[in-house]
Amino acid sequence: MIDKLIISPFAKFAKIESLSGILLFVATILGIAIANSPLSDQYFMFWDYKIGFASEHLDLIKPLHLWVNDGLMTLFFFLIGLEIKRELFIGELNSVRKASLPFLAAIGGILLPVTIFIVTNPNPETANAWGISMATDIAFSLAILKLLGKRIPIGLKVFLTAFAIADDLGAVLAIAVFYSSGIKWLLVVLALTPIIILFALSAFKFYSKYLVLLMGII
């Protein structure tokens, strides 16, 4: 009886293709409402609350919003990257001709908003904010696709996903080049090292899920 009344409705809801989109939009609306309510101070204090762990040689205590931005979003991009990799090898983007369309569309999606911003913004104090207009929010783009469900073809879903990712990567590169105080090349080299190792192992047809996991953690 309890299974039919409580568990079954949740199980059915979890199987809905648009579930992630629904949850994202509900969370967004709640966040906006609370942030603009008398509870706004408590809301921002909650996201600034620091959690983590510390030891003699390691101090990893960060605000909650950074655990989401730098932690959970890493997993999100990893999963999206796997989806795109699959499409590049055996899916809708498995040729240069097919893959070039979302890439070129992403370039247009970067340059056009920046051009509109520069042309329509006469205020020199905010001229440096052109980078804000570049990025496409991948999470919301995918949420909209999820909400539409089977109403749109798989090819369009793949195109829009690849477009959003390429657009977002372009915005991240723009932040690194134009908005940072400098690039720490040693960290770039350290980040590239495990990737080069994995490429080399792949060239020799050596695959190990444990080694890949280790390189990924590094």
Side-chain angles (χ1 to χ4, degrees):
M1 186 67 179
I2 296 177
D3 176 71
K4 291 182 179 180
L5 291 176
I6 299 177
I7 300 177
S8 293
F10 279 100
K12 291 179 180 178
F13 182 63
K15 292 180 180 179
I16 299 175
E17 186 178 5
S18 57
L19 169 62
S20 58
I22 294 171
L23 291 177
L24 179 61
F25 281 106
V26 170
T28 302
I29 293 171
L30 285 175
I32 293 174
I34 297 173
N36 291 278
S37 73
L39 298 174
S40 61
D41 290 339
Q42 290 84 347
Y43 175 79
F44 290 110
M45 285 176 59
F46 169 76
W47 287 111
D48 287 332
Y49 184 78
K50 293 184 177 181
I51 60 173
F53 56 89
S55 66
E56 184 179 353
H57 303 289
L58 178 64
D59 185 359
L60 194 60
I61 300 176
K62 303 290 183 181
L64 187 57
H65 68 87
L66 283 184
W67 283 106
V68 175
N69 292 344
D70 298 339
L72 295 180
M73 288 303 293
T74 301
L75 297 177
F76 170 76
F77 276 100
F78 175 67
L79 292 174
I80 297 302
L82 289 178
E83 288 289 329
I84 291 299
K85 181 179 179 180
R86 178 186 179 279
E87 296 298 332
L88 285 171
F89 280 98
I90 60 174
E92 298 288 331
L93 302 174
N94 60 355
S95 69
V96 175
R97 182 175 61 86
K98 292 179 180 178
S100 61
L101 180 59
F103 175 75
L104 293 174
I107 294 177
I110 291 173
L111 296 179
L112 183 60
V114 172
T115 302
I116 294 174
F117 179 90
I118 294 174
V119 171
T120 59
N121 178 49
N123 188 352
E125 295 183 359
T126 58
N128 288 333
W130 54 267
I132 296 175
S133 63
M134 291 177 59
T136 298
D137 194 299
I138 296 178
F140 276 99
S141 301
L142 298 183
I144 293 172
L145 294 179
K146 288 290 186 181
L147 287 174
L148 293 174
K150 296 180 180 179
R151 297 179 182 87
I152 57 176
I154 184 65
L156 181 58
K157 289 183 180 181
V158 173
F159 166 78
L160 291 176
T161 303
F163 160 75
I165 291 174
D167 186 286
D168 216 42
L169 290 176
V172 171
L173 288 174
I175 292 172
V177 174
F178 298 104
Y179 288 92
S180 64
S181 58
I183 298 176
K184 296 184 178 180
W185 292 107
L186 175 61
L187 295 181
V188 174
V189 172
L190 291 176
L192 287 175
T193 301
I195 298 176
I196 294 173
I197 292 174
L198 289 176
F199 268 113
L201 294 175
S202 178
F204 288 102
K205 307 296 183 182
F206 179 81
Y207 302 101
S208 170
K209 59 184 178 182
Y210 302 107
L211 187 59
V212 170
L213 177 62
L214 176 63
M215 293 295 103
I217 292 173
I218 292 175

